[in-house]
Amino acid sequence: MSTTTAVQRPSSLQGARLPKWSPWAIAAGSVAVSVGGGLAVGIESRIQWGLIAAILFVLATYVIAARVEGSRQAKDRIATSLVWVAFLLAVVPLVSLVWTTVSRGVKVLDVYFLTHSMGLVADSEPGGGIYHAIIGTLEQVGLATLFAAPIGVLTAIYLVEYGRGNLARAVTFFVDVMTGIPSIVAGLFILSLLLIFDMGFSGFAGALALAILMMPVVVRSTEEMLKLVPNELREASLALGVPKWRTILKVVLPTAVGGITTGVMLAVARIAGETAPVLLLVFGNPFINNNPFDGPQASLPLYIYQQYSQSAGSPAAYDRAWAASLTLIAFVMILNLLARGIARWKAPKTGR
């Protein structure tokens, strides 16, 4: 009996591959060439170095991958490289912004700064704080949320659960239009109402303008979250004889409460930094005004604008502007953390 020995040949489906550390090596080489070449020709801007390094990284990745792995794999790697480059281009300005705000804002950010108002302190003098601006921002954003969140959520429920025909299409159209209106337009609209009814500046007027800006964001985010709730849950509840309003209240909303809460917090973050409506309607006040319905109030965005406009002749005002900016960023960050915590707490429990 004769036996044949099978000769194992290398599979044609497997080719040469670059090592896993090759992208890091290519990136390091691109940065070195960019910096060295930039210094040689007199380029001292780090931004230009980064752009040159990004271009070199993409080109080098394609050339090396094409020679080692083939053109098909090279196209895949160049697509991955472009994604990483786009990611870095988005992250670098964000990190730079946060770093600049923190490094400059911590100079005067302390307990005294957070618990005192400007009062009798002139903008050009050192001292003072942002307590009055924090109170104004919390009251104005709180009132705007109190007005906009229920209206936005109920509108989204109508569009998803009940809306049919021309009325629903009209509401959707106007929500889309309101999403893109400039903040100054909302401020001018409320200002015209103040003139008609002979009312003065107040935090309440600013809250109304902020609510107009907040409502379409709440409607859109809530609408998308409600659409993600499986129809099987609705059908199962209705099949048991549960009324539709109770199905929405007990099944649909609890299922989507995490996304709805996150959308509301995003809308709050959207309006927390608005300056134009506050400048037109709230007017600003260096003293503490705890009543948003009577008299001008301060707010953090307006405080930052006023202090920065005085910073040309006053380093103290410049430092206060950066410290207030850091406080506003921290305020938005805390809101987002609270939103995530509430969303996780209220999320429906899944069984095993």
Side-chain angles (χ1 to χ4, degrees):
M1 178 182 292
S2 63
T3 60
T4 58
T5 303
V7 178
Q8 295 183 351
R9 299 180 180 178
S11 174
S12 60
L13 297 178
Q14 296 179 356
R17 298 295 301 270
L18 290 173
K20 294 183 179 180
W21 49 262
S22 59
W24 300 101
I26 296 173
S30 301
V31 172
V33 172
S34 174
V35 175
L39 293 176
V41 299
I43 299 177
E44 298 182 357
S45 174
R46 296 181 179 179
I47 297 177
Q48 293 178 347
W49 292 350
L51 294 177
I52 294 173
I55 296 174
L56 291 177
F57 173 70
V58 174
L59 294 178
T61 299
Y62 179 77
V63 172
I64 295 174
R67 290 181 61 87
V68 176
E69 299 177 332
S71 60
R72 182 176 181 179
Q73 188 65 23
K75 293 178 182 178
D76 178 76
R77 286 191 177 273
I78 196 173
T80 305
S81 302
L82 289 174
V83 171
W84 276 105
V85 169
F87 169 74
L88 291 176
L89 290 177
V91 168
V92 168
L94 177 61
V95 173
S96 176
L97 173 64
V98 173
W99 171 255
T100 302
T101 305
V102 172
S103 61
R104 297 185 178 182
V106 295
K107 293 181 180 179
V108 296
L109 185 61
D110 52 18
V111 177
Y112 177 87
F113 183 75
L114 295 174
T115 56
H116 287 75
S117 66
M118 291 303 292
L120 300 177
V121 180
D123 290 337
S124 59
E125 297 177 354
I130 59 171
Y131 180 75
H132 60 304
I134 293 176
I135 294 297
T137 295
L138 291 177
E139 290 181 348
Q140 294 157 28
V141 172
L143 286 173
T145 305
L146 185 64
F147 300 150
I151 297 175
V153 172
L154 291 175
T155 302
I157 291 174
Y158 166 75
L159 292 176
V160 175
E161 304 294 338
Y162 297 99
R164 301 293 185 272
N166 295 330
L167 179 58
R169 286 191 290 269
V171 172
T172 302
F173 172 76
F174 283 111
V175 168
D176 292 337
V177 172
M178 290 178 62
T179 304
I181 63 171
S183 59
I184 189 68
V185 175
L188 288 174
F189 172 71
I190 300 299
L191 181 61
S192 64
L193 295 180
L194 294 183
L195 296 176
I196 292 174
F197 294 101
D198 195 21
M199 299 173 61
F201 299 105
S202 65
F204 174 72
L208 291 178
L210 296 178
I212 293 176
L213 299 173
M214 185 178 177
M215 268 188 285
V217 181
V218 175
V219 173
R220 270 285 162 257
S221 59
T222 304
E223 187 178 359
E224 295 302 321
M225 290 302 104
L226 294 178
K227 289 180 180 178
L228 293 178
V229 177
N231 285 328
E232 289 78 4
L233 295 179
R234 298 181 177 88
E235 295 171 355
S237 178
L238 295 174
L240 295 175
V242 179
K244 188 169 185 178
W245 68 269
R246 194 171 181 85
T247 298
I248 296 172
L249 188 62
K250 296 295 185 179
V251 177
V252 178
L253 289 180
T255 304
V257 67
I260 294 173
T261 306
T262 303
V264 172
M265 291 299 103
L266 290 176
V268 170
R270 155 87 165 84
I271 65 173
E274 289 291 346
T275 306
V278 177
L279 182 62
L280 287 175
L281 304 169
V282 182
F283 196 69
N285 188 351
F287 295 93
I288 298 173
N289 180 11
N290 294 321
N291 186 1
F293 301 97
D294 183 22
Q297 260 192 333
S299 72
L300 284 174
L302 181 58
Y303 179 89
I304 295 168
Y305 169 77
Q306 291 174 337
Q307 294 299 313
Y308 193 82
S309 63
Q310 298 291 330
S311 62
S314 174
Y318 186 78
D319 293 338
R320 286 194 296 262
W322 279 108
S325 301
L326 180 58
T327 305
L328 184 59
I329 291 176
F331 173 69
V332 175
M333 184 184 301
I334 292 172
L335 286 178
N336 280 275
L337 292 176
L338 287 175
R340 290 179 179 272
I342 294 173
R344 181 172 297 181
W345 175 45
K346 290 294 185 179
K349 303 299 186 292
T350 57
R352 294 182 178 274

